[in-house]
Amino acid sequence: MLVLTRKVHQSIVIGDDIEVVVLEVRGEQVRLGINAPKTVAVHRKEIFEQIQHENVAASESRPEDVPG
């Protein structure tokens, strides 16, 4: 894992078109601003993992499991 140190209002750039800006640091929380193309999905990790879990569950369902 790459570890970087940034101050408020400083940013990092990922690839050619994704920028992550440190907006605020308050206690143990950091507010981030993310500038990315609309084609790039951006999620909190816990939401991303939930989406992945639901996608796997949906791919394993059988047609007779779907109410209709």
Side-chain angles (χ1 to χ4, degrees):
M1 173 186 298
L2 172 65
V3 178
L4 301 170
T5 301
R6 303 276 58 205
K7 295 179 180 177
V8 173
H9 302 298
Q10 291 184 332
S11 62
I12 64 169
V13 176
I14 301 171
D16 291 333
D17 50 9
I18 299 172
E19 180 182 21
V20 180
V21 182
V22 178
L23 298 176
E24 181 181 15
V25 178
R26 189 181 322 164
E28 294 183 2
Q29 293 189 323
V30 177
R31 287 185 66 214
L32 301 173
I34 301 167
N35 293 313
K38 293 187 183 293
T39 56
V40 175
V42 178
H43 303 283
R44 293 180 182 95
K45 184 174 181 178
E46 61 273 19
I47 301 299
F48 177 77
E49 291 172 344
Q50 183 178 355
I51 291 169
Q52 294 295 317
H53 175 76
E54 291 177 6
N55 285 341
V56 169
S59 70
E60 294 173 348
S61 66
R62 299 173 301 187
E64 56 269 18
D65 295 336
V66 179

